[in-house]
Amino acid sequence: MSNNRQPDWDPRSPAVFDDQIAAYDRMRGRCPVARSDYLHWSVFRHADVLRVLEDHGTFSNVVSRHPSVPNGMDPPEHTAYRALIEPYFAPERVRAFQPVCRGVAADLVGQLPAGGGVELMGGFARDFALRIQCAFMGWPAELHEPLRQWTHRNQEATLSGDRAATAAVALEFDGFVRGLLDARRKAGNAAPDDVTTRLLRERIGDRPLRDEEIVSIVRNWTVGELGTIAASVGILAHYLAAHPDLQRRIREDPSLLPAAIDEILRIHAPLIANRRMTTRAVEIGGRRLEAGARISLIWASANRDEAVFGDPDEFRLDRDSAHNLLYGAGIHVCPGAELARLELRVVMEELLARTRAFALMPDKPPVRATYPAGGFTSLALWVERCS
């Protein structure tokens, strides 16, 4: 393990693409800090990932040439922007959003077939993520279809690894947001009192937020939300379909849902990795990394570390949630964690309350997503909806 020049693994090999989670489990035991041409340095163990998260002086979040507010910032810059955005996810705002969230979820469950097969990712999970994010941001329904098409193009560009295509898709999204900002400026006092309008009124220090800062904030909220929430819905539905006894238990006692959701998403991560960069030479996991080394924190591995969780596939409702890195840790812990928990709880409550049962379809096996996505690209379920 001392040779830092030769790759330790290939994250894009067929064996990894066949089952990402199993591949990361193997790497955690074989080479817990591993180098590859594609991901540079990958960190697989819980303790090492937590060390990186808590030492933002050594492991910087400034990993891109493009501004990322506030995800791609370090203190003290990060501190001011983080304080600006946290009120948008305050408990009272999250609670106030619950009726809207429930309405979207109930409407989508009501559109499922009364009995029969459904492709849950395209026909339910992605629509839920899209509609719920637009509702939270205050965006009009006319944006649903353009944003749905954009999400598809973004996924294709990301999977292709084509930097020019990725940049073009990012620029297109920026145009969406700038158009919304322009419309609200033109409306003046008649602009809707929503998240997008409120961001226009924010100040950082002694000046208003610049448009490129607002665009970056909205991009971070939206792009991550659309992919991660959709993936989470698919993972949760798949797990409950594959474990009918647990599905039955939660139907009988919905109060188990919050803990069950966190535990299922610990077992099968919706978000695979996050990036950091070293600010100085450092040793971690028996490997020496020089200053400027690029790191991938593999959430999908750290949350399954046997040293913390024992059998990573054992479902337990009594786990200490403090160990679960589903929403990260440290100063960059996800500010929207409680909003995400609300959205996932509500959508699963509605799915369970408005159906009698749902199950996997053996003749249509699910298709797993590949890095950087988690979950499934396709998930066929047999659903029996309540009349």
Side-chain angles (χ1 to χ4, degrees):
M1 290 298 169
S2 61
N3 184 348
N4 287 347
R5 295 185 179 181
Q6 294 298 318
D8 300 305
W9 71 309
D10 179 4
R12 292 179 291 181
S13 70
V16 174
F17 277 178
D18 182 60
D19 189 339
Q20 288 185 95
I21 304 298
Y24 302 148
D25 285 348
R26 292 192 294 270
M27 289 303 300
R28 186 173 61 250
R30 181 174 73 82
C31 189
V33 177
R35 201 184 79 79
S36 67
D37 294 332
Y38 182 53
L39 294 181
H40 306 282
W41 290 100
S42 295
V43 179
F44 293 95
R45 292 191 304 203
H46 190 281
D48 292 333
V49 167
L50 197 59
R51 175 187 167 189
V52 172
L53 295 176
E54 294 176 342
D55 185 0
H56 50 81
T58 302
F59 303 97
S60 171
N61 257 56
V62 184
V63 297
S64 173
R65 296 170 296 171
H66 306 289
S68 179
V69 183
N71 307 39
M73 294 175 167
D74 294 327
E77 187 180 30
H78 168 268
T79 308
Y81 285 96
R82 177 77 184 214
L84 182 150
I85 70 169
E86 283 188 337
Y88 287 86
F89 303 100
E92 61 272 17
R93 285 192 172 178
V94 171
R95 286 194 297 269
F97 186 60
Q98 179 166 325
V100 176
C101 184
R102 192 170 298 282
V104 171
D107 181 54
L108 286 170
V109 176
Q111 295 178 35
L112 295 175
V118 59
E119 204 299 288
L120 198 82
M121 294 310 299
F124 184 83
R126 294 189 188 103
D127 279 356
F128 175 74
L130 174 67
R131 288 179 56 180
I132 213 69
Q133 180 63 9
C134 286
F136 180 74
M137 296 300 297
W139 294 348
E142 304 87 74
L143 198 58
H144 289 178
E145 189 55 33
L147 196 51
R148 181 182 289 107
Q149 295 300 321
W150 177 86
T151 302
H152 180 69
R153 289 192 294 274
N154 183 55
Q155 290 171 341
E156 286 187 333
T158 302
L159 290 173
S160 73
D162 185 331
R163 290 187 178 181
T166 302
V169 171
L171 190 63
E172 181 185 358
F173 181 82
D174 292 358
F176 283 145
V177 180
R178 290 181 187 275
L180 291 165
L181 298 180
D182 290 344
R184 280 155 174 74
R185 285 195 179 99
K186 290 176 182 176
N189 293 334
D193 183 22
D194 58 26
V195 169
T196 309
T197 301
R198 288 195 289 271
L199 284 170
L200 275 170
R201 301 172 185 151
E202 294 286 2
R203 300 180 69 85
I204 191 78
D206 60 356
R207 65 168 178 82
L209 282 177
R210 293 188 289 267
D211 277 9
E212 56 266 31
E213 292 171 321
I214 299 176
V215 168
S216 180
I217 290 170
V218 173
R219 185 194 310 117
N220 282 330
W221 288 353
T222 304
V223 176
E225 176 85 354
L226 292 178
T228 307
I229 291 296
S232 296
V233 172
I235 290 166
L236 295 169
H238 174 271
Y239 196 90
L240 293 181
H243 297 83
D245 289 345
L246 177 62
Q247 182 184 150
R248 191 177 307 110
R249 183 181 175 192
I250 294 175
R251 286 180 183 278
E252 294 169 355
D253 185 1
S255 70
L256 300 176
L257 257 177
I261 288 170
D262 278 8
E263 176 69 348
I264 292 167
L265 298 180
R266 178 200 65 78
I267 293 170
H268 187 163
L271 179 65
I272 299 298
N274 199 233
R275 298 185 295 167
R276 296 291 190 275
M277 182 181 292
T278 56
T279 61
R280 61 179 178 84
V282 64
E283 184 172 305
I284 183 168
R287 308 298 291 267
R288 178 179 172 81
L289 279 61
E290 301 301 329
R294 294 183 174 274
I295 299 174
S296 296
L297 303 178
I298 309 296
W299 308 116
S301 170
N303 252 357
R304 293 173 53 82
D305 191 334
E306 296 83 354
V308 177
F309 302 105
D311 179 355
D313 289 310
E314 182 186 8
F315 176 89
R316 288 177 50 186
L317 289 171
D318 61 345
R319 290 194 190 275
D320 184 350
S321 61
H323 298 311
N324 192 332
L325 298 177
L326 176 60
Y327 296 102
I331 65 169
H332 291 285
V333 66
C334 177
E338 290 312 306
L339 176 64
R341 286 191 168 104
L342 168 79
E343 292 169 351
L344 294 175
R345 174 179 61 79
V346 167
V347 73
M348 295 311 296
E349 283 176 349
E350 292 299 316
L351 183 61
L352 290 165
R354 295 172 183 271
T355 61
R356 292 188 178 87
F358 50 87
L360 299 177
M361 300 180 69
D363 59 329
K364 295 181 179 179
V367 179
R368 293 189 181 98
T370 56
Y371 187 93
F376 306 95
T377 59
S378 176
L379 175 61
L381 293 184
W382 178 87
V383 177
E384 183 182 353
R385 183 166 55 82
C386 299
S387 57

